[in-house]
C-alpha cells in the first residue's frame, strides 16, 4: 500500500526533477561539498531516492551511486534520469530494512549515505543500519515547519482538515537526534528555509491535492468535480493555481568514523 502511494506521486516528482536544480538543492550540495562529506568520485547511497534528483547530481561529480526506493515507478523514472551519466550507478528496489546490506552496498561501505525528506530512516534499527552502510558521513533532512496557505484554503473549502495533509508528516527532530546518540554518534544540526511555488491548472491542482490528502477518496468523481470547482475559484487571473509553500528544514548529519 505504501509503495502504491509513492508510485502515484512519481509523475509529480518527475515534474520537479525536470524543473532543474533549485536554490535549496544548490545550498544542500554546496554544504555537502564544502564540509567534505561529499567528494567527487566517492561512493554514495541515497535511501528513498525518488526519481533520482540528488543521484543525478552525484553522478555528475563522477560518484558511484546506489539508489534505493520502495516505489518501482520512482525507480523506473530514476533509471531514465540516470542514463546520461557514465559513472557507476544502480537502483535497488525494496524496503530499506528488508534488504540485505550486500544489496545496498554491493562493493562495501559507502562514503556518504543520505535520506532526504523520506520516512525510511525513522527508528533506532534504521539509524543503525543506515550508519553501518557508511564509512563516512550520514545525512537526514526533514521538515520542521510547513505553511501552505492556498492548499489549506482548498482543503477547508471541501470540508477537510489541512493539518492532515502534511507531505509525509513532520518528523520529530529531537527524537531523531536522540536516536543518533543512542546509536553511538554525535549529531550535528543545521536549519535552512525552503520556499517554493507550484503553478498548476485548476484540474492539475485538484488531482494533485486530492492525491496528497490521506482522507480523500482518490476515485470519487463527485469529489473531483467539487475539487475542480474550488481550485478554479482559487486560481489567479491567468487561470493558474499559484500554490506557495513556506518550510523550514533540518539537516541532521553524523560521522560514522570511529576515533583510533
Amino acid at each position: 500500500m505504501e509503495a502504491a502511494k509513492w508510485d502515484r506521486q512519481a509523475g509529480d516528482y518527475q515534474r520537479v526533477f525536470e524543473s532543474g536544480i533549485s536554490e535549496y538543492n544548490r545550498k544542500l550540495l554546496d554544504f555537502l561539498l564544502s564540509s567534505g562529506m561529499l567528494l567527487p568520485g566517492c561512493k554514495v547511497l541515497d535511501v528513498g531516492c525518488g526519481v533520482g534528483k540528488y543521484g543525478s547530481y552525484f553522478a555528475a561529480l563522477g560518484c558511484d551511486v546506489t539508489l534505493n526506493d520502495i516505489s518501482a515507478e520512482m525507480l523506473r523514472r530514476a533509471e531514465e534520469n540516470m542514463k546520461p551519466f557514465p559513472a557507476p550507478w544502480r537502483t535497488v528496489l525494496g524496503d530499506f530494512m528488508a534488504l540485505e546490506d550486500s544489496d545496498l552496498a554491493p562493493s562495501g561501505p559507502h562514503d556518504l549515505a543520505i535520506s532526504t525528506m523520506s520516512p525510511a530512516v525513522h527508528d533506532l534499527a534504521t539509524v543503525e543500519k543506515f550508519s553501518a552502510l557508511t564509512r563516512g558521513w550520514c545525512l537526514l533532512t526533514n521538515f520542521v515547519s510547513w505553511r501552505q496557505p492556498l492548499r489549506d484554503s482548498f482543503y477547508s473549502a471541501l470540508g477537510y482538515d489541512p493539518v492532515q495533509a502534511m507531505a509525509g508528516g513532520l518528523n520529530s527532530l529531537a527524537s531523531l537526534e536522540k536516536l543518533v546518540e543512542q546509536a553511538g554518534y554525535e549529531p550535528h544540526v543545521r536549519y535552512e528555509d525552503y520556499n517554493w511555488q507550484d503553478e498548476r491548472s485548476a484540474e492539475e491542482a485538484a488531482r494533485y491535492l486530492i492525491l496528497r490528502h490521506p482522507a480523500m477518496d482518490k476515485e470519487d468523481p463527485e469529489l473531483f468535480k467539487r475539487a475542480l470547482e474550488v481550485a478554479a475559484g482559487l486560481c489567479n487571473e491567468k487561470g493558474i493555481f499559484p500554490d506557495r509553500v513556506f518550510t523550514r528544514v533540518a539537516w541532521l548529519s553524523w560521522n560514522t568514523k570511529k576515533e583510533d
Side-chain angles (χ1 to χ4, degrees), residues 24 26 44 106 116 121 127 184 208 218:
Y24 169 82
R26 175 55 61 195
V44 185
T116 63
V121 182
V127 167
Y208 173 76
K218 319 308 183 209

Side-chain angles (χ1 to χ4, degrees), residues 50-199:
V51 301
K53 177 175 64 177
Y54 285 107
S56 67
Y57 304 154
F58 300 143
L61 292 170
C63 295
D64 182 328
V65 184
T66 299
L67 302 174
N68 164 237
D69 206 283
I70 198 172
S71 164
E73 181 59 16
M74 289 283 194
L75 285 187
R76 183 188 72 77
R77 292 174 183 268
E79 289 168 359
E80 289 297 316
N81 295 332
M82 295 291 287
K83 277 183 179 179
F85 301 100
W89 60 266
R90 66 205 56 80
T91 59
V92 183
L93 176 64
D95 180 87
F96 174 65
M97 280 304 290
L99 291 165
E100 298 291 334
D101 287 5
S102 57
D103 296 324
L104 293 163
S107 59
H110 298 275
D111 301 297
L112 170 67
I114 72 166
S115 186
T116 63
M117 316 301 186
S118 168
V121 182
H122 62 277
D123 60 13
L124 183 58
T126 52
V127 167
E128 289 178 335
K129 180 171 183 174
F130 194 61
S131 303
L133 290 167
T134 73
R135 59 190 174 197
W137 286 90
C138 294
L139 175 80
L140 302 179
T141 73
N142 285 284
F143 294 110
V144 293
S145 69
W146 183 295
R147 190 165 59 87
Q148 195 170 348
L150 197 62
R151 177 208 64 177
D152 291 354
S153 296
F154 171 87
Y155 288 135
S156 295
L158 290 168
Y160 288 86
D161 182 0
V163 177
Q164 297 179 9
M166 299 307 303
L170 296 178
N171 291 324
S172 168
L173 177 65
S175 175
L176 288 171
E177 284 187 87
K178 288 180 181 178
L179 292 172
V180 171
E181 290 176 342
Q182 289 177 39
Y185 306 105
E186 181 182 359
H188 305 272
V189 180
R190 173 170 168 164
Y191 296 94
E192 289 289 340
D193 292 329
Y194 181 15
N195 306 321
W196 69 93
Q197 178 168 299
D198 291 326
E199 296 187 348

